[in-house]
Amino acid sequence: MSTSGDESKAAPTSSACLEDLLAQAVGAVRRAAAFALDPGEELRVEAKAHRNDLVTQVDRGVEERIAGCLEATGIPIHGEEAHRVEDFETYRGRAWVLDPIDGTLNYVSTHRDWAISLALVDDGVPVLAALADPVAGRLYTAIRGRGARVEPLTGEAVGCDGVASKALEPVKDLPLSEGMVVAHYQLTQHAGIGRAIEGSRGMRCYGAAALEMAEVAAGGAVVYAQPLLQPWDVAAGALLCTETGVVLTRMDGSAFDVRRAGSLLVGSPAAHAEVLEYLSPDRC
Ligand code: IPD
Ligand code: CA
Ligand code: CA
């Protein structure tokens, strides 16, 4: 994945240290997921920027719990609800990036397809990810350069849905015609994406960016496109994608930097290239 920083100057990160940090991240996410699945009280829902931009006491409670668990790491947190790293767009060094509930609208209304997304970013590059799909009972994890895994959220060898702990395979380099596109509903009005969807096996929209990225990393869809996402939406999913050979760029093909809000296009190398072609301004 490209970043706008000068990676050659980044301090090397010890893998042993990352293993310890991953264990702490996984513990924090598991405890927070148990709370979010059963908060023990009625949901209190508030709107933020607009009527469909929701937050509940559970979003805030998850962020607070995970921040508490990670406090001892001494690493600052950039979280959606209550924690900010100043000037994060150009921040160098390590930071936890947290979306306490990705897909709050789903959490409140359909009660599935929501995630807890936690990543450690070092000089703008995701180096560790712990991403829970609590309703499916799945936990995706990754350490940069060491592949990505999926395992039961419970920590058992096999989950109640039969999912065993296993490494995610490198994605098959399927063309667009062989797979599904996951796209934000606004993009169905986008001429280029519309043509790409017509050339694919169909379109899905789950409403949780982190899980939509995980879907491509796990080989369930060949492309995911979104017009605007924030660092906490994408940091963990981006590592799952890079670790499985999924290509990440902005929708105009430019380099993707998780520290900056913007569009996202991820896909198998072949399907990503095809969609970029559909999006090319020169194409009639
Ligand atoms: C949202 C989800 C959704 C995406 C929005 C995000 P939130 O996150 O990821 O799929 O379309 O742009 O804001 O607000 O539920 O954390
Ligand atoms: Ca989100
Ligand atoms: Ca959120």
Side-chain angles (χ1 to χ4, degrees):
M1 181 175 50
S2 310
T3 70
S4 61
D6 180 355
E7 280 186 60
S8 63
K9 288 184 192 151
T13 314
S14 134
S15 62
C17 186
L18 283 181
E19 274 176 11
D20 289 348
L21 291 170
L22 180 61
Q24 292 182 61
V26 164
V29 166
R30 283 198 166 120
R31 279 196 286 279
F35 161 68
L37 284 167
D38 184 12
E41 58 177 350
E42 286 285 304
L43 279 186
R44 295 188 297 280
V45 184
E46 291 165 39
K48 296 193 288 184
H50 55 80
R51 64 188 286 269
N52 291 332
D53 179 21
L54 306 180
V55 64
T56 72
Q57 83 275 26
V58 177
D59 298 62
R60 296 194 176 108
V62 166
E63 185 156 328
E64 199 179 292
R65 280 166 173 77
I66 291 181
C69 290
L70 298 178
E71 200 173 353
T73 67
I75 299 170
I77 299 181
H78 195 62
E80 180 173 12
E81 307 304 342
H83 295 79
R84 282 292 184 280
V85 169
E86 217 173 300
D87 298 325
F88 190 65
E89 289 198 348
T90 53
Y91 179 77
R92 293 187 62 96
R94 286 176 165 183
W96 294 108
V97 181
L98 171 65
D99 194 338
I101 304 267
D102 181 41
T104 301
L105 196 51
N106 291 346
Y107 182 75
V108 167
S109 51
T110 63
H111 314 299
R112 59 180 161 77
D113 299 323
W114 54 273
I116 297 177
S117 177
L118 175 64
L120 181 67
V121 170
D122 195 348
D123 286 342
V125 178
V127 293
L128 173 166
L131 168 54
D133 178 345
V135 175
R138 285 181 195 179
L139 176 70
Y140 297 93
T141 61
I143 290 181
R144 188 175 184 227
R146 301 183 55 188
R149 299 188 63 79
V150 62
E151 61 192 89
L153 183 59
T154 55
E156 306 291 320
V158 179
C160 53
D161 62 352
V163 172
S165 175
K166 61 175 186 195
L168 292 185
E169 298 293 323
V171 287
K172 291 185 185 145
D173 194 10
L174 294 176
L176 192 56
S177 58
E178 292 299 312
M180 286 199 301
V181 171
V182 179
H184 190 269
Y185 73 94
Q186 286 167 350
L187 288 177
T188 55
Q189 307 301 316
H190 189 294
I193 293 287
R195 284 194 292 271
I197 292 167
E198 277 167 21
S200 77
R201 285 197 177 276
M203 189 202 118
R204 298 291 183 271
C205 176
Y206 306 140
L211 295 182
E212 291 168 315
M213 296 176 84
E215 187 75 275
V216 179
V222 287
V223 163
Y224 169 49
Q226 250 282 12
L228 178 63
L229 289 167
Q230 303 295 328
W232 42 79
D233 296 317
V234 296
L239 186 58
L240 299 183
C241 286
T242 51
E243 288 301 311
T244 51
V246 171
V247 180
L248 289 91
T249 62
R250 300 293 183 196
M251 282 176 60
D252 63 2
S254 63
F256 183 77
D257 183 332
V258 299
R259 292 170 296 188
R260 296 177 187 179
S263 70
L264 175 67
L265 175 65
V266 301
S268 68
H272 180 277
E274 283 178 78
V275 175
L276 269 187
E277 185 62 27
Y278 277 113
L279 294 175
S280 157
D282 300 336
R283 188 173 172 130
C284 312

